[in-house]
Amino acid sequence: MLNRVILIGRLTRDPELRYTPAGVAVTQFTLAVDRPFSGQGGEREADFIPVVTWRQLAETCANYLRKGRLTAVEGRIQVRNYENNEGKRVYVTEVIADNVRFLESNRDSSGGGGNREESSFSGGSSNSGGNRGNNNFSRNNQDPFSDEGKPIDISDDDLPF
């Protein structure tokens, strides 16, 4: 069985960092991912996908990711459910990320030119005990998201927010 997902999109808002009662960091953010086709009105549509990170990766994302920043996320899809205040079962589908790659530097996201910088962060991907990731910062020139070293051309008109 296989449950892996890779997404590239832009954050819809700054990540939200919280800590569990046991002191484990958890960050939530939403990634806007363009669909590969246009809607009936000729406008590009996007899916807004909730992403969760844990431990050191959560703290790193909270410190460095900001709204609008182009980001790649690798992880797994998880479905959880709970009972709301009215007694109804609510289902939540989200991506539990174990690798987050920042696809542009702060300078690029604010409109300045310059070289594109790619930073990758990995970490544990679940809220159970143990650290499954290596939590190491690494730069990898063999990045599958690098588009052969060419800059990604995305204008403000491409953003769904």
Side-chain angles (χ1 to χ4, degrees):
M1 290 179 250
L2 179 66
N3 181 358
R4 289 308 283 167
V5 62
I6 298 173
L7 303 168
I8 298 176
R10 293 192 180 271
L11 271 72
T12 61
R13 64 178 190 269
D14 290 351
E16 182 179 316
L17 175 65
R18 294 184 180 172
Y19 290 89
T20 67
V24 178
V26 58
T27 299
Q28 295 177 307
F29 57 91
T30 302
L31 208 60
V33 179
D34 284 340
R35 292 182 178 171
F37 54 86
S38 298
Q40 289 185 358
E43 295 181 15
R44 292 294 297 252
E45 295 182 14
D47 292 300
F48 298 89
I49 301 170
V51 178
V52 177
T53 60
W54 290 91
R55 296 182 176 75
Q56 181 63 39
L57 180 59
E59 291 176 338
T60 302
C61 288
N63 287 333
Y64 295 104
L65 285 179
R66 294 292 172 256
K67 177 182 176 178
R69 189 153 182 203
L70 188 64
T71 305
V73 170
E74 182 181 1
R76 63 184 170 81
I77 294 175
Q78 177 176 290
V79 179
R80 60 183 171 89
N81 64 73
Y82 63 93
E83 200 169 293
N84 69 9
N85 294 340
E86 289 128 23
K88 295 198 176 202
R89 180 86 34 213
V90 177
Y91 290 88
V92 178
T93 303
E94 55 201 2
V95 172
I96 308 301
D98 53 34
N99 188 2
V100 175
R101 184 167 295 256
F102 308 156
L103 297 180
E104 61 189 1
S105 66
N106 288 332
R107 191 175 12 151
D108 291 340
S109 62
S110 64
N115 296 330
R116 194 176 78 188
E117 179 179 315
E118 296 174 1
S119 302
S120 177
F121 296 90
S122 299
S125 62
S126 72
N127 58 359
S128 60
N131 186 356
R132 294 172 36 183
N134 60 11
N135 292 335
N136 288 334
F137 170 80
S138 65
R139 292 183 201 266
N140 183 354
N141 291 335
Q142 301 300 323
D143 178 15
F145 303 115
S146 69
D147 199 27
E148 298 177 4
K150 299 177 208 158
I152 297 173
D153 184 25
I154 297 177
S155 70
D156 288 343
D157 296 334
D158 293 331
L159 295 175
F161 42 87

